[in-house]
């Protein structure tokens, strides 16, 4: 059995950043990736827009991940690709990890683990589309892989369900490749993607966006032939009498991403029902000592730059980890928040530069964020607008706010009504 200080599970942008950060701290680090190549989902994201925060330049997905792959190869990080973790057991002083690859069964011991397993797409069966199961129904990521990695065109006439960013990007991509995108249908009354993608991928290409609509049925034997579209009410239930049939050979689903947390579930790590990722503190450590989480495995991010940022912190603190007494204070939020990460503060650790990520639960114009400690407002910040698809980032000094064991820390969002 080989011993390590830190084992990073996942070789996407989060795993790469965490491994590099850990090794910089002097930790003996192992990176385990189940695919043949490092880079994660970015390998197939050939559009630009990545790296503006991290590198100060506009990069494609492969370019962004390629920079991190080059960096990790210049370190002493050990890399195991085509390797799949099958078992993790808590032992004295750390964890025993079993993973399998072409060399057979491998056994390692590590003091700490960083979960950087990313996220996955919701499938057709998770959104309850009735009808047959013909060919031609893809998640947006699968369609993207067909076109960008395999050079295969999966569609001629397309309906897209969901206005998530990958779906919007694929609406543009398929249009550029010669397909007809009949429309993008969103069950919610507001778009789910970033405003810039609505403009660049739909408006600029005259692709219609239908809000408060959904796909209710699929038709076809061997290949998809048509779908049934219906309007939905305020409770997102189809409205009888609004159904119409749209002929198409392809249905693409962009209906949300879910953090990939099978490993966390097996370790009984508490999961936040709002983020679908582990509960963590400002050092990105979960409620299991010595296990850290970052990137899209923690919560789904808008920008890969923030994925790398959280991973850099997680890797650094995993390398510095030591068994000490920890005292936690929860961060309480009102119903106007969709979520906030981290969910709690370790007041025994450094609180001078705490990075917070949050989303509003609904569209808010001219909103004010207020932070109270023990009933006293310690900070407020004004926003012109807040939207659930657009994540916000804050860096706060909680030591300056006088947070200590037993403190009550509250976050509120209000509309100013000006």
């Amino acid at each position: 059995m080989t011993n390590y200080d830190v084992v990073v599970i996942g070789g996407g942008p989060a795993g790469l950043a965490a491994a590099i950060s850990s090794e910089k701290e002097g930790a003996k680090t192992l990176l385990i990736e189940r695919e043949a190549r490092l880079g994660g989902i970015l390998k197939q994201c050939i559009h630009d827009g990545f790296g503006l925060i991290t590198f100060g330049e506009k990069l494609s997905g492969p370019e962004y991940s390629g920079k991190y792959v080059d960096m990790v190869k210049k370190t002493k990080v050990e890399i195991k690709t085509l390797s799949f973790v099958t078992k993790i057991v808590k032992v004295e002083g750390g964890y025993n990890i079993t993973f399998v690859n072409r060399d057979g069964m491998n056994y390692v011991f590590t003091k700490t683990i960083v979960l950087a397993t990313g996220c996955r797409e919701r499938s057709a069966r998770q959104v309850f589309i009735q009808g047959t199961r013909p060919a031609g129904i893809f998640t947006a990521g699968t369609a993207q892989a067909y076109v960008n990695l395999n050079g295969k065109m999966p569609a001629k006439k397309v309906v897209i369900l969901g206005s998530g960013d990958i779906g919007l990007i694929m609406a543009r991509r398929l249009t550029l490749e010669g397909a007809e995108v009949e429309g993008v249908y969103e069950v919610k009354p507001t778009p789910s993607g970033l405003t810039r993608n609505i403009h660049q991928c739909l408006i600029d290409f005259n692709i219609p966006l239908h809000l408060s609509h959904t796909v209710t049925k699929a038709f076809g034997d061997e290949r998809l032939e048509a779908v049934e579209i219906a309007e939905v009410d305020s409770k997102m239930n189809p409205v009888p009498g609004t159904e119409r049939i749209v002929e198409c050979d392809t249905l693409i689903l962009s209906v949300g991403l879910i953090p990939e947390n099978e490993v966390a579930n097996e370790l009984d790590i508490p999961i936040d029902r709002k983020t679908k990722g582990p509960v963590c503190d400002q050092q990105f450590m979960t409620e299991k000592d010595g296990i850290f989480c970052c990137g899209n495995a923690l919560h789904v991010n808008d920008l890969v730059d923030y994925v790398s940022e959280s991973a850099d912190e997680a890797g650094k603190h995993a390398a510095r980890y030591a068994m000490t007494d920890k005292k936690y204070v929860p961060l309480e939020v009102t119903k106007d928040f969709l979520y906030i990460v981290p969910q709690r503060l370790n007041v025994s650790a450094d609180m001078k530069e705490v990075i917070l990520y949050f989303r509003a639960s609904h569209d808010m114009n001219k909103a004010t964020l207020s932070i109270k400690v023990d009933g006293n407002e310690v900070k407020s910040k004004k926003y012109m607008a807040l939207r659930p698809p657009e994540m916000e980032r804050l860096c706060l000094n909680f030591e300056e706010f006088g947070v200590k064991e037993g403190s009550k820390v509250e976050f509120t969002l209000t509309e100013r009504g000006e």
Side-chain angles (χ1 to χ4, degrees):
M1 181 176 289
T2 308
N3 293 347
Y4 295 92
D5 297 314
V6 179
V7 170
V8 179
I9 301 175
L16 290 166
I20 293 167
S21 176
S22 168
E23 198 271 342
K24 279 184 180 179
E25 294 292 321
K28 185 179 180 181
T29 305
L30 172 66
L31 176 62
I32 301 174
E33 166 57 40
R34 66 185 177 186
E35 294 188 4
R37 293 169 54 205
L38 300 172
I41 196 67
L42 292 187
K43 297 192 295 291
Q44 67 187 50
C45 299
I46 65 172
H47 54 280
D48 64 11
F50 303 95
L52 287 171
I53 297 172
T54 305
F55 298 110
E57 57 181 322
K58 190 184 291 186
L59 303 170
S60 69
E63 288 174 326
Y64 184 95
S65 62
K67 283 181 175 288
Y68 273 97
V69 171
D70 291 341
M71 284 190 284
V72 80
K73 287 183 178 178
K74 293 177 182 178
T75 69
K76 295 179 182 178
V77 173
E78 293 184 39
I79 300 169
K80 297 290 185 181
T81 55
L82 288 173
S83 300
F84 193 88
V85 173
T86 58
K87 191 175 183 180
I88 301 176
V89 178
K90 179 74 176 79
V91 295
E92 184 178 354
Y95 297 86
N96 286 339
I97 298 178
T98 304
F99 65 93
V100 62
N101 57 22
R102 291 181 177 181
D103 297 327
M105 303 294 288
N106 299 264
Y107 307 93
V108 299
F109 168 84
T110 180
K111 296 177 183 177
T112 60
I113 296 172
V114 179
L115 301 178
T117 48
C119 58
R120 58 181 171 83
E121 296 178 280
R122 295 182 190 272
S123 67
R125 298 302 146 185
Q126 288 177 286
V127 292
F128 306 111
I129 296 174
Q130 300 181 37
T132 54
R133 302 184 66 174
I137 301 177
F138 306 99
T139 63
T142 301
Q144 188 180 59
Y146 269 108
V147 178
N148 294 347
L149 291 182
N150 301 327
K152 303 293 184 181
M153 187 61 179
K156 293 181 179 178
K157 186 172 183 181
V158 188
V159 166
I160 297 178
L161 176 62
S163 57
D165 289 310
I166 307 176
L168 299 177
I169 288 165
M170 283 311 297
R172 175 180 64 186
R173 185 77 176 97
L174 290 169
T175 299
L176 289 171
E177 290 297 330
E180 176 190 350
V181 179
E182 191 276 338
V184 176
Y185 295 85
E186 171 58 55
V187 71
K188 294 185 291 187
T190 55
S192 296
L194 295 173
T195 301
R196 73 180 189 194
N197 285 332
I198 297 291
H199 284 269
Q200 294 175 2
C201 301
L202 298 188
I203 295 174
D204 289 356
F205 288 85
N206 296 315
I207 298 171
L209 171 63
H210 305 274
L211 299 174
S212 297
H213 283 74
T214 191
V215 173
T216 51
K217 290 182 182 179
F219 302 97
D221 294 324
E222 293 186 2
R223 179 79 190 195
L224 184 70
E225 298 173 2
V227 294
E228 181 185 82
I229 305 288
E231 293 183 27
V232 299
D233 58 24
S234 58
K235 296 182 179 179
M236 297 188 185
N237 295 317
V239 178
T242 63
E243 301 89 351
R244 65 184 180 92
I245 303 298
V246 175
E247 293 185 359
C248 59
D249 64 6
T250 304
L251 172 64
I252 290 180
L253 305 173
S254 179
V255 289
L257 302 169
I258 306 170
E260 192 82 72
N261 275 309
E262 280 70 16
V263 174
N265 288 328
E266 288 180 8
L267 292 169
D268 293 325
I269 294 173
I271 301 294
D272 185 336
R273 62 181 180 83
K274 295 179 180 178
T275 63
K276 305 297 189 294
V279 174
C280 72
D281 62 19
Q282 75 269 28
Q283 296 181 334
F284 296 94
M285 190 173 79
T286 69
E287 292 193 14
K288 290 284 186 181
D289 281 343
I291 297 185
F292 297 76
C293 190
C294 59
N296 286 340
L298 184 63
H299 66 115
V300 178
N301 293 253
D302 300 340
L303 304 177
V304 71
D305 304 79
Y306 292 148
V307 166
S308 299
E309 180 182 52
S310 67
D312 183 77
E313 289 292 308
K316 177 177 69 177
H317 291 297
R320 295 177 180 178
Y321 173 77
M323 286 289 292
T324 58
D325 290 335
K326 300 172 182 63
K327 300 172 183 177
Y328 292 104
V329 170
L331 301 184
E332 301 180 13
V333 297
T334 62
K335 60 181 176 59
D336 295 305
F337 285 84
L338 187 60
Y339 68 76
I340 192 167
V341 172
Q343 296 88 346
R344 60 182 189 165
L345 292 175
N346 177 9
V347 297
S348 301
D350 184 7
M351 296 188 292
K352 290 180 182 177
E353 292 186 10
V354 176
I355 300 170
L356 293 173
Y357 307 98
F358 74 89
R359 295 180 191 268
S361 61
H362 55 94
D363 285 2
M364 302 180 74
N365 294 318
K366 296 182 178 178
T368 299
L369 169 70
S370 174
I371 304 171
K372 292 181 180 180
V373 176
D374 297 325
N376 301 312
E377 185 175 80
V378 294
K379 187 175 180 63
S380 65
K381 182 175 181 179
K382 294 181 178 180
Y383 295 88
M384 286 301 296
L386 293 173
R387 297 182 59 235
E390 296 175 359
M391 189 180 74
E392 301 293 335
R393 176 192 181 275
L394 281 173
C395 185
L396 300 173
N397 185 342
F398 282 94
E399 289 188 9
E400 187 180 79
F401 300 156
V403 176
K404 58 185 183 298
E405 185 181 8
S407 292
K408 184 174 184 179
V409 183
E410 302 171 279
F411 289 73
T412 59
L413 284 174
T414 55
E415 287 189 280
R416 299 193 295 277
E418 298 174 3

